[in-house]
């Protein structure tokens, strides 16, 4: 099972996710009561679908965010952050109980000498080969991590019957409980000494009598005697976690039981590592596909990597970027002479060619605006601030590449379908981030820099590139430009100086796409 953690009135509260799910809202009948005006009476619910947890917005007034994305329905992954009004809930895919590593509670007695344990080289395995094959076959057939962990614990307790069984996976320096058998609503305590010894030695630990002398009645002493086996889950010398079983009384387990548990654990470790890797790759692929809807593939990869590492989208940023607008001239009149299918085919081919050039120069497709294109250079920035700040040069190179691509496109289509277009570029500060509603979220930039770029595009000559004075300063002497004078742009109190780009003055940099005509 999993759990949700939320801070309410300064108190950290944990809510286990059982088969019936959880309801969240302002009304007192909810499982999780969040008393705030921005929270609806019945705001959202979480339900289990097999081993998957899904968050569903119950038509709330202010919506629900998962990892900063507005959603109506979303499958929760471990570490997901749920935003409901001012409350932030954390989802943990783990056993709902906490496992406490504490010798003082596991052995309620003096521990000055430590528990009685045995480690060392294992004798020849005593597990039947056919049984080992059946266990391997079952575990190899399970690809979903949660289902695999359940199956591992079932096999452990079948091979070595015990009163309790725990499977914990490592996350950084923590051991996260994933399976606890039998389920309990209370915290579970195991020996920190036994667990630490198994992790540090990467070897199994067997204790036949996990207690020392205790000053008190014999009945109390007997009640606290426990036998335990702790086996690390090791893959390529890396400890993935632990399997820990115990039972009350002396000598409940022997070396054969230890050996059998080691065999199951070794097979389990290989399959757990495979399932974790598969889960991570699937997660990154889903994120990459999501980001590729609105950014170039290389930036989508970086964005997915950031999301995978931090579990959320990057906060909006104040950036200096270069904004490119491209627009077709006279496309409306052209549409009157063509069939709707011809218009669609022509527009799709044009947008495809232009987008390919933008992506080749590391640009981000912000949006299509009918037959127009808005592209960004220098945003988003998912790497560190010391990355090369050449967005203005890349924007102008892309614009010249688009002029060439347009020329090639016109040369191969029916002359009656020929059209012109123009490009405008401006450089300056913007506010960049993910904006939108719960139904639709886009990465875009806002600010006067964007509006000015759009106005400059409207002043450009046909099939040419017009840039602002800010972009001209940013590109230095990399390109040959011609001053076109000052324009009074709509919405601007001051005149805006513009320059027409005539071509490049420097050889193409190594690694830059060659989009010149063939």
């Amino acid at each position: 099972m999993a759990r949700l953690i939320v801070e309410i009135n300064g108190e950290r509260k944990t809510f286990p996710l059982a088969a019936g799910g959880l309801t969240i809202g302002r009304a007192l009948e909810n499982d999780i009561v969040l008393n705030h005006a921005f929270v609806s009476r019945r705001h959202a619910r979480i339900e289990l679908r097999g081993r998957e947890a899904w968050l569903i917005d119950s038509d709330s007034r202010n919506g629900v965010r998962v990892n900063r994305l507005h959603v109506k329905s979303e499958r929760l992954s471990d570490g997901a952050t749920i935003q409901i009004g001012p409350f932030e809930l954390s989802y943990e895919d783990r056993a709902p109980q906490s496992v406490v590593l504490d010798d003082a509670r596991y052995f309620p007695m003096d521990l000055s000498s430590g528990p009685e344990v045995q480690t060392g080289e294992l004798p020849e395995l005593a597990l039947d080969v056919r049984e080992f094959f059946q266990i391997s076959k079952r575990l190899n057939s399970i690809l979903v991590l949660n289902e695999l962990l359940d199956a591992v614990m079932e096999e452990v307790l079948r091979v070595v019957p015990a009163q309790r069984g725990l499977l914990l996976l490592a996350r950084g320096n923590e051991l996260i409980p994933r399976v606890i058998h039998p389920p309990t609503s209370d915290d579970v305590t195991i020996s920190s000494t036994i667990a630490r010894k198994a992790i540090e030695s990467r070897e199994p630990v067997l204790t036949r009598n996990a207690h020392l002398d205790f000053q008190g009645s014999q009945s109390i002493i007997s009640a606290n005697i426990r036998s335990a086996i702790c086996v690390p889950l090791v893959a390529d010398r890396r400890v993935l976690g632990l399997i820990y079983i115990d039972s009350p009384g002396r000598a409940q387990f022997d070396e054969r039981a230890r050996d059998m548990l080691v065999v199951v654990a070794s097979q389990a470790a290989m399959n757990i590592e495979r399932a974790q890797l598969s889960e991570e790759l699937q997660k990154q692929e889903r994120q990459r596909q999501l980001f590729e809807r609105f950014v170039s593939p290389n930036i989508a990869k970086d964005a997915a990597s950031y999301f995978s590492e931090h579990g959320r989208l990057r906060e909006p940023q104040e950036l200096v970027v270069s904004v490119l607008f491209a627009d077709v001239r006279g496309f409306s009149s052209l549409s009157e002479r063509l069939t709707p299918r011809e218009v669609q085919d022509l527009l799709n081919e044009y947008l495809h060619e232009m987008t390919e050039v933008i992506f080749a120069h590391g640009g981000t497709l912000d949006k299509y605006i009918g037959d127009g294109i808005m592209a960004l250079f220098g945003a988003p920035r998912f790497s560190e601030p010391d990355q090369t700040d050449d967005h203005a040069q890349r924007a102008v190179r892309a614009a010249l590449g688009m002029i060439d691509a347009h020329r090639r496109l016109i040369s191969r289509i029916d002359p009656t379908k020929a059209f012109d277009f123009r490009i405008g570029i401006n450089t300056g500060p913007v506010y960049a981030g993910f904006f939108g509603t719960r139904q639709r979220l886009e990465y875009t930039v806002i600010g006067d820099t964007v509006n000015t770029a759009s106005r400059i595009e409207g002043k450009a000559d046909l099939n040419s590139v017009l840039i602002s004075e800010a972009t001209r300063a940013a590109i230095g002497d990399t390109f040959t430009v011609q001053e076109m004078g000052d324009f009074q742009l709509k919405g601007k109190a001051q005149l805006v100086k513009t320059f027409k780009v005539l071509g490049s003055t420097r050889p193409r940099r190594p690694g830059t796409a060659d989009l010149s005509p063939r």
Side-chain angles (χ1 to χ4, degrees):
M1 286 197 298
R3 67 181 187 178
L4 287 176
I5 300 174
V6 60
E7 186 174 297
I8 303 176
N9 298 326
E11 181 181 355
R12 185 175 184 269
K13 295 188 175 182
T14 300
F15 299 88
L17 180 57
L22 292 169
T23 56
I24 307 171
R26 195 176 72 248
L28 295 178
E29 61 266 22
N30 288 288
D31 299 308
I32 303 177
V33 179
L34 305 177
N35 189 14
H36 193 276
F38 289 170
V39 180
S40 300
R41 287 181 55 81
R42 295 173 182 82
H43 201 105
R45 70 182 188 278
I46 297 178
E47 62 182 41
L48 283 176
R49 301 175 184 175
R51 286 299 303 266
E52 294 181 347
W54 283 77
L55 173 71
I56 296 95
D57 184 354
S58 302
D59 295 324
S60 63
R61 184 178 57 187
N62 293 306
V64 179
R65 290 175 182 261
V66 175
N67 298 325
R68 298 192 62 248
L69 296 174
H70 271 112
V71 301
K72 289 294 289 182
S73 177
E74 182 76 6
R75 183 174 69 85
L76 298 176
S77 58
D78 184 41
T81 299
I82 303 167
Q83 190 78 34
I84 295 180
F87 299 95
E88 192 171 274
L89 299 86
S90 299
Y91 172 78
E92 293 187 352
D93 186 5
R94 51 166 291 166
Q97 307 87 358
S98 293
V99 171
V100 181
L101 281 74
D102 187 349
D103 286 336
R105 290 172 61 176
Y106 192 72
F107 313 108
M109 52 203 72
D110 179 16
L111 288 175
S112 57
S113 302
E116 173 190 324
V117 298
Q118 296 179 0
T119 62
E121 295 296 325
L122 298 179
E124 185 177 349
L125 299 181
L127 185 64
D128 183 86
V129 174
R130 286 173 297 181
E131 189 171 11
F132 172 71
F133 174 76
Q134 291 300 324
I135 294 173
S136 300
K137 184 178 179 181
R138 182 188 181 193
L139 299 185
N140 285 333
S141 67
I142 302 175
L143 302 178
V144 180
L145 181 60
N146 283 331
E147 295 177 4
L148 175 62
L149 299 180
D150 286 340
V152 169
M153 183 53 64
E154 289 176 8
E155 292 297 336
V156 164
L157 296 178
R158 183 181 64 82
V159 173
V160 185
Q163 185 193 56
R164 289 195 315 179
L166 296 85
L167 193 156
L168 302 91
L169 293 184
R171 183 194 295 162
N173 295 323
E174 291 184 277
L175 284 173
I176 306 300
R178 298 299 297 267
V179 182
I180 296 178
H181 183 85
T184 174
S185 58
D186 300 324
D187 290 346
V188 177
T189 304
I190 63 176
S191 166
S192 59
T193 302
I194 294 175
R196 184 174 61 252
K197 195 171 189 70
I199 290 175
E200 292 176 353
S201 67
R202 290 182 169 82
E203 294 179 350
V205 175
L206 165 65
T207 173
R208 294 187 176 87
N209 183 356
H211 94 294
L212 298 175
D213 292 337
F214 179 76
Q215 300 298 320
S217 69
Q218 188 61 40
S219 61
I220 296 177
I221 295 174
S222 299
N224 288 294
I225 295 174
R226 300 193 72 85
S227 301
I229 305 177
C230 183
V231 179
L233 294 163
V234 181
D236 293 329
R237 298 295 296 171
R238 183 169 65 94
V239 177
L240 305 180
L242 293 174
I243 293 176
Y244 193 108
I245 64 172
D246 63 5
S247 291
R250 289 188 180 90
Q252 297 298 303
F253 309 115
D254 57 14
E255 282 80 1
R256 183 179 184 278
R258 177 191 63 181
D259 299 347
M260 295 172 72
L261 186 52
V262 167
V263 171
V264 176
S266 64
Q267 186 66 27
M270 290 187 294
N271 285 279
I272 289 171
E273 184 180 46
R274 180 204 61 192
Q276 287 178 328
L277 178 60
S278 175
E279 195 174 74
E280 181 63 25
L281 291 175
Q282 291 175 11
K283 178 181 176 183
Q284 290 194 17
E285 178 63 18
R286 289 194 301 268
Q287 292 160 358
R288 184 188 63 78
Q289 291 175 356
L290 170 65
F291 289 127
E292 279 192 358
R293 295 178 186 176
F294 43 81
V295 298
S296 55
N298 60 319
I299 297 179
K301 182 179 179 181
D302 289 341
S305 176
Y306 181 91
F307 190 92
S308 178
E309 180 180 355
H310 300 280
R312 65 182 188 280
L313 298 175
R314 185 183 286 275
E315 295 290 335
Q317 304 166 277
E318 292 185 21
L319 301 173
V320 175
V321 305
S322 294
V323 183
L324 180 153
F325 275 89
D327 192 33
V328 174
R329 177 69 182 273
F331 200 83
S332 297
S333 60
L334 183 64
S335 301
E336 294 177 358
R337 296 185 283 107
L338 302 176
T339 66
R341 180 58 182 269
E342 289 176 319
V343 171
Q344 180 188 31
D345 291 344
L346 180 59
L347 184 58
N348 284 346
E349 190 169 4
Y350 160 72
L351 294 176
H352 171 76
E353 294 290 340
M354 298 301 105
T355 302
E356 286 290 298
V357 177
I358 292 168
F359 284 176
H361 288 83
T364 299
L365 175 65
D366 186 290
K367 61 177 67 70
Y368 297 127
I369 312 167
D371 53 27
I373 299 171
M374 175 180 170
L376 313 173
F377 294 82
R381 294 193 189 183
F382 291 98
S383 59
E384 295 303 317
D386 62 353
Q387 68 181 39
T388 55
D389 202 16
D390 62 347
H391 51 80
Q393 293 183 17
R394 289 188 287 112
V396 175
R397 289 191 189 281
L400 294 176
M402 293 167 71
I403 297 294
D404 289 340
H406 169 261
R407 188 181 300 119
R408 294 195 298 273
L409 173 63
I410 296 302
S411 68
R412 66 174 185 262
I413 64 175
D414 186 336
T416 62
K417 299 179 182 179
F419 60 90
D420 299 308
F421 83 134
R422 55 197 178 194
I423 299 174
I425 302 174
N426 185 33
T427 300
V430 296
Y431 197 55
F434 293 92
F435 301 93
T437 68
R438 79 183 74 168
Q439 288 83 17
R440 181 177 176 82
L441 192 74
E442 291 183 343
Y443 184 92
T444 190
V445 297
I446 57 176
D448 182 64
T449 298
V450 180
N451 299 328
T452 301
S454 177
R455 304 285 187 246
I456 290 174
E457 175 268 309
K459 297 294 183 180
D461 293 335
L462 295 180
N463 306 318
S464 69
V465 182
L466 193 66
I467 64 175
S468 68
E469 186 174 16
T471 303
R472 169 68 182 85
I475 62 176
D477 59 353
T478 310
F479 300 90
T480 301
V481 300
Q482 175 186 350
E483 186 173 343
M484 299 299 289
D486 299 339
F487 288 104
Q488 180 68 59
L489 302 182
K490 182 179 179 181
K492 303 289 290 186
Q494 298 181 346
L495 296 177
V496 175
K497 183 173 291 188
T498 61
F499 301 81
K500 183 178 181 178
V501 180
L502 303 179
S504 176
T505 60
R506 293 182 180 177
R508 182 173 56 89
R509 293 180 304 145
T512 303
D514 184 3
L515 298 170
S516 58
R518 295 285 187 255

